[in-house]
Amino acid sequence: KMLLLFIFSIVLLPKAFTLRCYECKPQAGGTCTETEKHCSTGEDRCGSFRVINYNGNSKVSEMKKKSCAMAAHCVQGSLDFGVNRTAIVSECCNSDLCNKQFPPDPKQSNPNGKKCYRCDGQTCTGTLNCKGDEDHCVSTIGDQKVPMKGCASKQICSKTTSTLLPGATPSEINCCEGNYCNSASSTSAGILILVTPLISLIFLS
């Protein structure tokens, strides 16, 4: 009997003490239906996430998700190619069912003094004033060989974050520091990233 009790305690106790979070997968129209989920090993917090796409200052689309998460999932930042800008906002917490609310809209970002090149078709001589915490310049080339240049936040450029950005088309994104550092010449080491749609965070995980 003692042996059976020991075996049951090994099997059942970890389940009893795992974190519980609201789970809400993206659906059409930016809505999602909540369920409760026991987190897997290594997922030590609950997260709520929004990915917002802007055209100029106008919001054109949005994705929302709630899930169990790891620290690397809890990122904030933006990626701006001039015409299109994508912002990630997230909130993470570490108690049961603490991710009830979605994070609010990001604050209106003002130019921060950083300047990068942007592209118009194949021509990449235009300039872009970076906003908010966009402290890096970026340069990418997608499968269609269409260059894209602009501004990005540091977290968007990190290798950890890039692994959380599943999309449809592989591209190489190079991040660098310094005004207009994203010229036609090579920048820092490339990170394999998926940028179409620009950012999906962990929405497909």
Side-chain angles (χ1 to χ4, degrees):
K1 290 183 178 179
M2 291 300 295
L3 179 59
L4 287 175
L5 181 62
F6 177 71
I7 293 173
F8 278 121
S9 67
I10 292 175
V11 172
L12 298 178
L13 280 179
K15 183 70 173 181
F17 287 100
T18 56
L19 185 67
R20 289 184 301 128
C21 299
Y22 287 112
E23 183 177 54
C24 180
K25 296 184 177 181
Q27 297 176 0
T31 62
C32 57
T33 303
E34 288 180 357
T35 57
E36 293 184 17
K37 179 183 178 180
H38 285 274
C39 298
S40 302
T41 302
E43 296 174 328
D44 59 356
R45 59 202 69 196
C46 300
S48 56
F49 309 92
R50 296 172 64 195
V51 176
I52 306 168
N53 289 296
Y54 297 92
N55 188 330
N57 292 322
S58 300
K59 184 191 298 185
V60 294
S61 66
E62 179 177 3
M63 292 185 291
K64 297 179 179 179
K65 183 180 180 180
K66 296 179 182 180
S67 67
C68 298
M70 298 182 291
H73 297 160
C74 304
V75 298
Q76 306 236 31
S78 56
L79 179 63
D80 189 355
F81 289 121
V83 176
N84 297 306
R85 184 170 183 263
T86 301
I88 300 174
V89 286
S90 65
E91 287 185 355
C92 291
C93 49
N94 55 11
S95 58
D96 282 342
L97 304 177
C98 60
N99 61 333
K100 180 66 177 177
Q101 303 296 326
F102 282 109
D105 273 345
K107 295 180 180 179
Q108 184 69 35
S109 297
N110 296 315
N112 59 20
K114 177 84 173 182
K115 297 179 183 294
C116 302
Y117 285 109
R118 64 173 178 83
C119 297
D120 183 7
Q122 295 288 340
T123 304
C124 298
T125 56
T127 62
L128 182 64
N129 293 314
C130 302
K131 298 177 181 179
D133 64 355
E134 295 167 355
D135 54 359
H136 284 63
C137 295
V138 296
S139 178
T140 79
I141 298 179
D143 279 356
Q144 301 304 314
K145 303 302 180 184
V146 177
M148 300 175 71
K149 296 180 184 290
C151 305
S153 305
K154 181 178 181 179
Q155 284 192 312
I156 303 299
C157 294
S158 74
K159 292 183 180 180
T160 301
T161 303
S162 70
T163 63
L164 307 176
L165 306 178
T169 306
S171 297
E172 186 179 79
I173 181 167
N174 293 291
C175 291
C176 59
E177 298 182 75
N179 287 334
Y180 303 120
C181 63
N182 60 338
S183 63
S185 60
S186 176
T187 57
S188 63
I191 301 170
L192 189 64
I193 195 173
L194 303 176
V195 293
T196 307
L198 289 179
I199 297 180
S200 298
L201 194 59
I202 52 172
F203 282 75
L204 301 181
S205 62

